Amino acid sequence: MLRSSVKPTSPSRDVDDSKQPEKQWWKRSRFFFLRYGHCWATATLALGSLLWVITRTGFRIGTTNSPSRDLSAPMGPIIYGTKNKGDRTAALVEEAVSAGFRHIASASSHYTNYNEAGVGAGWTAAAMTPGGPSRKEMFLQTMFLSPSNPDWKPADAATKSMGVEDQVRASLEKSLRDLRTDYVDCFLYHNLKNKLDPLENVLRAWRIMESYVDAGTVRSLGITNVHDALYFDQFYESVRIKPAVVQVRFHSNRQFGMPMRWKFRELGIVEQLFWILTGNGHAILHPATKAAAAECSLTPQQFIYGFILAMGAGKIHPLIGTTNRKHMEEDLEVAKYFDDAWPERKLFVDRWFGRVALKEFAGKVFRRPDLIAHLEDDKKKKDHPAS
């Protein structure tokens, strides 16, 4: 039977015309929801998933998921090192952070000479004080130590029997617990001082370290004690995520790092120098150091740190391990001289750490005037840019 297109007018059909628009609106809404509602649900679920990924991994739109120092606090101009602090670690780290240090270098507690749980207790205690730093203001750095290293804790036999991949995982997970954080700003592979670990072992470990960068648990990677150019080239070309940091000893038996410094600067890699005072006692006692320090109203130790900062031009960061609060404050005072925000910076640096003075000082004290050759090269490039 065909349905009439004419609306019935019989009074028996009790129609309230005032409700017709509401019913028509509801019919249209129900039709739209039934037809397109699943699309909205899918889009909402996708957006929620994307937000979860962003918050969990630290991914940022417009960036690649690779080590990037813009994701964390800036690396400190000088770094507080926590090696050989033993049971005093927590108190000394709290003291250092309270004095103004924001970059703390540590290592996995598998390393005999570190008390990483003390580092975590120290920085968090300082953070709890009025005006203390937040986690975002801190740069926390740790290291993986291979069991082949003689400094490995012999009592940790269970971890020692693992494959290197699981050793890296165990090391970082323990570091996160001990440091009381859910991410670290830099994770280093620690090489032996007098010889390099087999490259294949380093690469196996590095791949796991890269996976933590991908997950946002680690913000940048680094490696220590690399003095062989061929070894470093092979390593650098083999890794997906490049090292942001190389930590090396500043000593004459390593030629003060000169053979590799050009390469690191070319690749944009930051150097962290240790053993600056301990390994260069003659430099502190040298008459040229004492005279220059007196002119600057600095201690000889302060002047040496100032020389390192001037030599680095923002690409070299000294590791400092003092246990004395006064010395901590003195070292931080020197770092202030190299802060662009300090009004008297240019006057001080130009007068006491000018290029010519640096070259003369390096020749007299370290017998290596070429220690600042890279700065002279930088100046030439600036004055005569390539056309």
Side-chain angles (χ1 to χ4, degrees):
M1 178 184 295
L2 295 176
R3 301 179 68 178
S4 171
S5 60
V6 180
K7 291 180 68 174
T9 58
S10 170
S12 61
R13 186 173 180 184
D14 189 14
V15 177
D16 184 353
D17 290 335
S18 65
K19 293 183 180 180
Q20 283 301 307
E22 180 181 344
K23 286 184 178 181
Q24 291 172 3
W25 175 88
W26 167 244
K27 287 180 180 179
R28 288 196 300 269
S29 300
R30 183 174 59 180
F31 170 79
F32 182 85
F33 179 78
L34 290 175
R35 184 165 184 177
Y36 300 109
H38 68 285
C39 298
W40 285 103
T42 302
T44 303
L45 181 61
L47 179 60
S49 300
L50 177 61
L51 291 173
W52 183 88
V53 170
I54 290 173
T55 56
R56 292 289 293 177
T57 67
F59 174 79
R60 290 185 175 187
I61 296 173
T63 65
T64 57
N65 200 11
S66 59
S68 174
R69 282 184 289 277
D70 69 342
L71 292 176
S72 61
M75 197 176 295
I78 58 175
I79 305 164
Y80 189 70
T82 58
K83 186 177 181 180
N84 294 325
K85 302 297 188 290
D87 294 338
R88 300 178 63 198
T89 300
L92 289 170
V93 169
E94 181 179 1
E95 193 84 17
V97 175
S98 298
F101 281 90
R102 293 294 178 265
H103 187 158
I104 308 296
S106 183
S108 166
S109 292
H110 296 134
Y111 198 149
T112 305
N113 299 318
Y114 284 88
N115 173 6
E116 199 158 51
V119 175
W123 88 260
T124 51
M128 295 289 287
T129 61
S134 67
R135 172 64 185 91
K136 290 181 179 180
E137 295 174 293
M138 295 295 299
F139 193 102
L140 299 180
Q141 173 178 310
T142 189
M143 284 194 296
F144 165 70
L145 182 76
S146 169
S148 62
N149 195 300
D151 290 326
W152 176 274
K153 283 185 179 176
D156 197 359
T159 308
K160 192 169 186 176
S161 64
M162 296 177 180
V164 66
E165 292 85 358
D166 287 334
Q167 289 168 353
V168 173
R169 295 184 184 101
S171 174
L172 183 61
E173 287 165 10
K174 187 169 187 349
S175 289
L176 292 170
R177 292 194 300 270
D178 287 345
L179 292 173
R180 306 185 186 186
T181 182
D182 58 358
Y183 72 95
V184 292
D185 298 276
C186 193
F187 188 25
L188 279 69
Y189 183 100
H190 184 62
N191 256 310
L192 290 167
K193 297 182 184 121
N194 56 349
K195 69 175 185 177
L196 296 165
D197 286 349
L199 183 59
E200 181 53 38
N201 287 1
V202 177
L203 294 178
R204 286 172 59 193
W206 197 269
R207 292 184 194 107
I208 303 304
M209 295 166 70
E210 288 175 328
S211 71
Y212 282 103
V213 177
D214 293 337
T217 310
V218 171
R219 300 296 166 84
S220 61
L221 300 178
I223 191 167
T224 72
N225 299 313
V226 178
H227 307 284
D228 183 281
L230 179 60
Y231 180 97
F232 182 80
D233 287 344
Q234 291 175 334
F235 160 77
Y236 191 86
E237 293 302 320
S238 300
V239 299
R240 176 172 58 89
I241 296 179
K242 310 301 182 185
V245 169
V246 173
Q247 192 180 103
V248 291
R249 181 187 300 191
F250 185 73
H251 193 262
S252 59
N253 67 6
R254 298 296 183 196
Q255 301 179 62
F256 300 104
M258 281 304 299
M260 298 292 294
R261 185 153 297 133
W262 295 93
K263 182 176 292 292
F264 295 152
R265 289 179 68 82
E266 181 183 339
L267 296 173
I269 296 173
V270 169
E271 286 182 85
Q272 295 179 356
L273 302 186
F274 62 93
W275 236 44
I276 294 170
L277 298 184
T278 305
N280 297 282
H282 69 284
I284 299 170
L285 300 174
H286 197 286
T289 304
K290 292 182 177 181
E295 286 190 65
C296 297
S297 300
L298 299 174
T299 67
Q301 291 86 347
Q302 284 179 300
F303 192 86
I304 293 295
Y305 283 134
F307 169 75
I308 297 297
L309 287 166
M311 180 183 78
K315 293 295 185 181
I316 295 178
H317 301 250
L319 276 140
I320 293 165
T322 182
T323 59
N324 183 292
R325 173 63 182 248
K326 183 184 177 187
H327 294 166
M328 292 178 186
E329 292 172 349
E330 288 175 346
D331 298 339
L332 288 164
E333 182 185 357
V334 173
K336 178 187 70 175
Y337 297 149
F338 296 87
D339 184 350
D340 290 334
W342 191 53
E344 298 178 56
R345 174 194 181 281
K346 181 171 173 52
L347 175 65
F348 181 89
V349 174
D350 285 355
R351 182 177 179 187
W352 301 118
F353 296 104
R355 299 289 183 261
V356 176
L358 276 179
K359 188 172 183 177
E360 181 181 349
F361 180 79
K364 285 182 178 179
V365 176
F366 296 101
R367 299 182 181 178
R368 291 296 301 257
D370 60 336
L371 280 176
I372 65 153
H374 57 284
L375 297 182
E376 295 176 330
D377 185 60
D378 288 349
K379 188 174 186 303
K380 288 177 183 176
K381 290 179 180 177
K382 184 178 180 180
D383 294 342
H384 305 285
S387 56

